Amino acid sequence: MSTDLANLRNIGIIAHIDAGKTTTTERMLFYTGIIHKMGEVHDGNTVMDWMEQEKERGITITSAVTTCFWENKQINIIDTPGHVDFTAEVERSLRILDGAIGIFCAVAGVEPQSETVWHQSDRYNIPRIAYINKMDRAGADFEHVVDKIRKRLTPNAHPVQLPIGKEENFEAIIDLVKMKAYYFDQETFGLKYFTKEIPAEYMENAKVARAKLLENVCEFDDELMMKYLEEEEIGEKELVAAIRKGVLTNEFVPILCGSSLKNKGVQPLLEAINNYLPSPLDVPPIKALDKDSNKEIKIYPREDDDFSALAFKVQMDKFVGKIIYVRVYSGKLKKGQKVYNQTNGKKERIARILQIHSNKRKDKEELKVGDIAALVGPKFLKTGDTITIEKNVLLDSITFPDSVISIAIEPKTKADQDLLKETLSKLEEEDPTFRVSENKDTGQTLISGMGELHLDIIIDRLKREYNLQANVGNPQVAYKETISKEVTINEEFVRELGGKGHYAKVKFKLTPLSLSQLKEGEKNIFVNSISEETIPKIYWDSIQQGVMGALMDGPLMSSPVERVKVELIDGGYNEVDSSETAFGIASAKAVSEGLRQAEAQIMEPIMLVNVITPEDFVGDVIGDLNSRRGRIENIRADVNDKQVITAEVPMSELFGYATGLRSLSQGRAVYTMEFSKYEVVPANIQDKILKRVRGY
């Protein structure tokens, strides 16, 4: 089916774990006729949670893509994970989406991960709808959640619906735009729904709420403002148009409500997606770098422009091979055409184009602007790469957080050594927050990720999908290194290799940097301050490669080195013996020696920890966090006489925290944690780490 670009919605569903993302998506697919029987997360038979690990744990691990149609509009949906260990899935989805639905539990309200994903969306300026789910649950409180959304996320959020009843008495929804009540037929699992007049006992509240809605929405439409001030009747279409204006500029967030599990409220949510969330035509043009002029340009969503797309996800499939998910920003692409990878310079042919429906796929003949689909064929296309047919442009890539935890891994049999290496490489290509490295001192293979659950899933996948049995060590913190003082270092490389002389002379200045001096996603800065007369330009790339290679191997623990500015300030060459090899080696040796002289320091990952605890245990929880070198950032009241304690705590102090917290609070406190930043460890802690690593 061909869809007019104005009738296309590319949206994501974002929320804290267990807020009801997958259940809501399942209902959307059922009510739009894509599936004919609804699955349930607790039964492990939903369409979107298709991995075995997702079915067993009842959580989303990988973002799943699907497409449905509602009232002649095509809705491409990405259901994202709620667990912080899989934040990369949320990050890459938000990078390519036009709109999002934030789902909140009517009992728990704005949970820590809800805040995290909401603020991730803020970074991309994504228009959003808020949907308060689980209105049927004991303790559901619509007004309380609305208040928390306004206080913690955005003051621009306002209800466009009200619930009729709550908890076991939740029966219907009042639409403040239409001033009608929606009721849902449970015999058809909510498939049939109808409108009625608002019950008399709810009419006064509805009128007050609609007046507040009008007051806020009139700001986006001068004509509506005049009508409102003159107390004229405001029609449904006028109100919808004004709300849409506010949503598209991120100045208004409509709040809806329902119970997806009880099949109430999902069709009005689909209607709100169509009415309020943007099409590709409604969002600002995407920014790109023109590689010819080295200037920033804008790419508009036009079908007659040259093709440009961003690869945002790689998936390894045992039947199809490598599948690359892309979002198309301009032009179109036919099956069989060749594309140019602007990121790595490779030109590759597109063998197949696939329309994705969770883990099922259907062949397509072509891709058009606005599409989210998958490609088969390119071997060298990775997450964050730009592909075009002719235009020489580079789209902004995707920035992912650093991995914070590592474990050693080895195959149970020597015969599986190569297979393990090959399989880990595939998983690393799929997941940008999963890293594979080798410990220089022990020769062990290390795998690193965002948390213990993340690595558990990786090891489980090795066993199930690849039939690989592995021995794994205990989790270890993924440390980094930096320097604490500025140094200048000279290096001269004079050597005869293979009967040929090699000569290079370089001089560098190494300077420590603070995090604020680096751009987002930047680890170090290399500056070339010499002229071609000092060292010919032909050798500059080799010098930079040598520098960057040396920064991957710190002097204390062989960890990556970050927050360093390396400036090439002088050097020399020989017209006969100088070579790229010589300059690469000289640069690497110089930087390695410079790092040793610059008083290297270890940096450790700091986690942002949110503990929700009954008041009785607040003192014990704070005392325990302090004993773990934690810094208490905030304490605030939450629902049901509970307190939320926010603290920054070193990752190394959090192993076994779940057990400790359970013991402290009689099992009544819960916590979430997410990566915050890397910080230099105190001197006494650094000594302990080095003694442990060096075995003395």
Side-chain angles (χ1 to χ4, degrees):
M1 186 186 292
S2 179
T3 302
D4 181 348
L5 210 53
N7 291 329
L8 179 63
R9 303 287 182 270
N10 288 321
I11 64 149
I13 298 188
I14 58 173
H16 187 93
I17 192 168
D18 202 33
K21 297 182 301 299
T22 301
T23 300
T24 303
T25 309
E26 196 78 4
R27 267 63 183 168
M28 287 180 175
L29 297 178
F30 179 65
Y31 298 139
T32 56
I34 300 297
I35 59 174
H36 302 291
K37 184 184 177 186
M38 288 185 291
E40 304 294 355
V41 172
H42 52 265
D43 292 333
N45 61 356
T46 62
V47 168
M48 303 303 273
D49 283 352
W50 56 270
M51 291 175 68
E52 288 302 319
Q53 294 87 347
E54 292 177 316
K55 292 176 182 180
E56 288 173 1
R57 290 168 169 82
I59 61 170
T60 302
I61 290 167
T62 183
S63 53
V65 181
T66 190
T67 298
C68 62
F69 295 84
W70 184 256
E71 295 177 352
N72 299 319
K73 288 185 172 62
Q74 179 180 333
I75 305 172
N76 293 330
I77 303 170
I78 299 184
D79 177 22
T80 66
H83 197 287
V84 71
D85 278 19
F86 309 107
T87 188
E89 294 290 329
V90 182
E91 193 71 39
R92 60 174 154 205
S93 300
L94 291 173
R95 168 64 179 79
I96 56 92
L97 290 170
D98 299 327
I101 303 166
I103 298 186
F104 302 90
C105 172
V107 181
V110 179
E111 297 170 277
Q113 187 63 10
S114 306
E115 291 191 62
T116 299
V117 294
W118 192 272
H119 294 313
Q120 277 178 287
S121 304
D122 284 339
R123 285 210 312 275
Y124 293 105
N125 210 26
I126 292 175
R128 274 151 285 178
I129 288 171
Y131 174 65
I132 299 176
N133 189 27
K134 304 191 179 184
M135 282 302 305
D136 61 301
R137 287 277 190 96
D141 190 334
F142 179 77
E143 289 79 12
H144 180 80
V145 181
V146 169
D147 184 55
K148 292 300 180 189
I149 290 172
R150 284 179 176 160
K151 284 180 178 172
R152 295 188 199 166
L153 304 181
T154 172
N156 299 329
H158 303 279
V160 295
Q161 293 178 353
L162 295 178
I164 294 179
K166 63 179 181 179
E167 301 178 331
E168 72 271 12
N169 297 317
F170 174 62
E171 56 175 311
I173 290 161
I174 295 170
D175 186 319
L176 297 175
V177 176
K178 297 179 179 178
M179 283 304 278
K180 294 284 184 184
Y182 279 106
Y183 288 81
F184 302 86
D185 176 37
Q186 292 307 299
E187 287 188 10
T188 60
F189 302 103
L191 193 59
K192 290 181 182 176
Y193 65 104
F194 45 91
T195 58
K196 285 184 180 180
E197 294 303 317
I198 298 169
E201 64 268 34
Y202 287 93
M203 183 56 83
E204 191 55 40
N205 276 349
K207 284 180 178 176
V208 171
R210 191 174 201 269
K212 284 183 184 174
L213 175 64
L214 287 170
E215 196 178 311
N216 286 288
V217 168
C218 285
E219 294 179 26
F220 314 117
D221 193 308
D222 292 340
E223 202 173 307
L224 210 65
M225 177 67 83
M226 290 302 295
K227 276 192 168 188
Y228 175 70
L229 293 173
E230 292 169 13
E231 298 184 1
E232 289 182 34
E233 185 65 31
I234 293 173
E236 180 190 329
K237 285 186 178 177
E238 293 173 291
L239 188 48
V240 166
I243 292 171
R244 181 175 178 79
K245 279 184 189 175
V247 172
L248 296 184
T249 56
N250 262 305
E251 295 173 279
F252 190 89
V253 176
I255 301 178
L256 293 80
C257 62
S259 168
S260 299
L261 186 65
K262 299 294 185 184
N263 312 310
K264 296 174 184 176
V266 176
Q267 291 97 328
L269 178 59
L270 284 163
E271 193 175 317
I273 291 167
N274 283 353
N275 286 342
Y276 307 135
L277 290 180
S279 76
L281 297 172
D282 298 314
V283 294
I286 195 85
K287 292 176 183 175
L289 178 73
D290 185 318
K291 290 172 75 177
D292 296 326
S293 66
N294 209 32
K295 290 181 180 175
E296 185 179 281
I297 60 167
K298 293 176 180 177
I299 291 180
Y300 292 87
R302 294 191 283 240
E303 194 172 311
D304 53 357
D305 274 8
D306 183 45
F307 175 78
S308 64
L310 184 77
F312 68 93
K313 180 179 167 91
V314 172
Q315 184 178 320
M316 298 298 179
D317 186 277
K318 55 185 172 186
F319 301 111
V320 180
K322 183 176 174 180
I323 297 173
I324 305 108
Y325 291 71
V326 296
R327 161 72 194 262
V328 184
Y329 286 103
S330 64
K332 55 187 176 183
L333 172 75
K334 290 187 183 293
K335 185 173 75 174
Q337 279 188 284
K338 285 189 175 179
V339 293
Y340 184 64
N341 187 327
Q342 297 286 349
T343 308
N344 62 22
K346 305 276 186 186
K347 196 160 190 176
E348 298 187 90
R349 183 176 166 274
I350 304 303
R352 292 173 71 188
I353 298 172
L354 302 173
Q355 184 69 54
I356 301 294
H357 174 49
S358 187
N359 63 330
K360 297 180 175 63
R361 41 195 82 93
K362 187 170 71 176
D363 280 277
K364 283 168 63 96
E365 289 303 309
E366 71 171 4
L367 273 180
K368 293 192 306 181
V369 58
D371 279 350
I372 293 175
L375 307 177
V376 179
K379 293 179 182 176
F380 303 103
L381 187 54
K382 291 188 173 143
T383 299
D385 286 357
T386 302
I387 54 170
T388 65
I389 293 176
E390 293 176 8
K391 194 177 283 187
N392 201 21
V393 298
L394 195 63
L395 300 169
D396 282 345
S397 191
I398 311 171
T399 303
F400 295 102
D402 293 308
S403 50
V404 296
I405 186 171
S406 302
I407 54 173
I409 186 169
E410 63 180 19
K412 286 202 170 171
T413 65
K414 285 284 183 189
D416 284 339
Q417 188 79 44
D418 291 340
L419 181 59
L420 178 65
K421 189 176 179 181
E422 181 189 327
T423 305
L424 290 175
S425 177
K426 286 181 182 177
L427 294 172
E428 190 176 26
E429 195 171 352
E430 274 191 350
D431 184 348
T433 56
F434 174 64
R435 303 272 190 274
V436 182
S437 59
E438 188 175 290
N439 186 303
K440 190 176 72 173
D441 299 321
T442 64
Q444 285 181 309
T445 298
L446 298 175
I447 59 173
S448 307
M450 297 305 297
E452 292 178 79
L453 178 60
H454 186 193
L455 294 181
D456 280 349
I457 297 292
I458 293 285
I459 291 172
D460 196 40
R461 288 186 64 193
L462 286 175
K463 292 174 186 172
R464 294 196 196 197
E465 293 175 35
Y466 299 96
N467 202 25
L468 259 170
Q469 299 298 319
N471 297 319
V472 295
N474 293 320
Q476 303 289 329
V477 173
Y479 292 105
K480 295 184 186 294
E481 297 178 38
T482 191
I483 60 173
S484 58
K485 73 172 189 179
E486 185 175 284
V487 297
T488 301
I489 192 83
N490 288 287
E491 182 66 40
E492 189 173 34
F493 181 78
V494 185
R495 193 77 53 86
E496 188 172 307
L497 298 169
K500 185 181 183 306
H502 288 271
Y503 176 80
K505 186 178 179 183
V506 287
K507 184 178 182 180
F508 293 102
K509 182 164 72 175
L510 276 63
T511 309
L513 298 173
S514 66
L515 196 56
S516 60
Q517 291 173 284
L518 294 162
K519 295 175 188 170
E520 187 179 355
E522 202 172 32
K523 309 294 186 189
N524 299 293
I525 297 174
F526 174 75
V527 178
N528 185 345
S529 298
I530 62 164
S531 66
E532 286 193 64
E533 285 72 36
T534 306
I535 299 175
K537 197 171 184 178
I538 191 174
Y539 303 125
W540 289 2
D541 280 349
S542 297
I543 291 170
Q544 186 168 352
Q545 286 170 19
V547 168
M548 292 306 174
L551 290 172
M552 293 305 294
D553 187 10
L556 297 175
M557 300 175 66
S558 298
S559 301
V561 179
E562 294 186 3
R563 303 181 196 174
V564 176
K565 177 183 173 184
V566 180
E567 185 179 5
L568 177 61
I569 55 175
D570 201 2
Y573 72 103
N574 178 313
E575 287 187 4
V576 177
D577 291 336
S578 283
S579 65
E580 291 179 41
T581 302
F583 275 103
I585 294 171
S587 301
K589 287 180 71 177
V591 172
S592 294
E593 180 56 35
L595 293 173
R596 276 189 283 275
Q597 292 183 19
E599 296 180 5
Q601 296 174 305
I602 296 170
M603 293 194 297
E604 63 182 345
I606 305 296
M607 309 302 285
L608 188 67
V609 179
N610 284 281
V611 182
I612 303 171
T613 176
E615 284 189 28
D616 296 353
F617 307 109
V618 168
D620 291 338
V621 170
I622 290 173
D624 182 59
L625 288 170
N626 286 333
S627 74
R628 296 173 185 269
R629 295 196 284 131
R631 293 191 299 268
I632 306 300
E633 299 287 310
N634 189 24
I635 303 171
R636 66 172 186 241
D638 200 51
V639 293
N640 301 328
D641 296 324
K642 289 188 176 180
Q643 300 284 320
V644 180
I645 301 163
T646 303
E648 288 192 335
V649 189
M651 177 76 201
S652 59
E653 304 287 348
L654 288 168
F655 292 120
Y657 185 59
T659 306
L661 182 64
R662 199 177 301 125
S663 174
L664 270 178
S665 65
Q666 298 170 16
R668 293 170 64 196
V670 295
Y671 80 101
T672 61
M673 67 175 176
E674 62 183 283
F675 171 69
S676 174
K677 60 194 170 189
Y678 269 87
E679 275 186 2
V680 173
V681 303
N684 62 320
I685 302 294
Q686 176 162 313
D687 290 342
K688 288 179 184 176
I689 294 168
L690 291 175
K691 283 178 181 177
R692 187 176 70 245
V693 169
R694 293 168 180 171
Y696 58 82

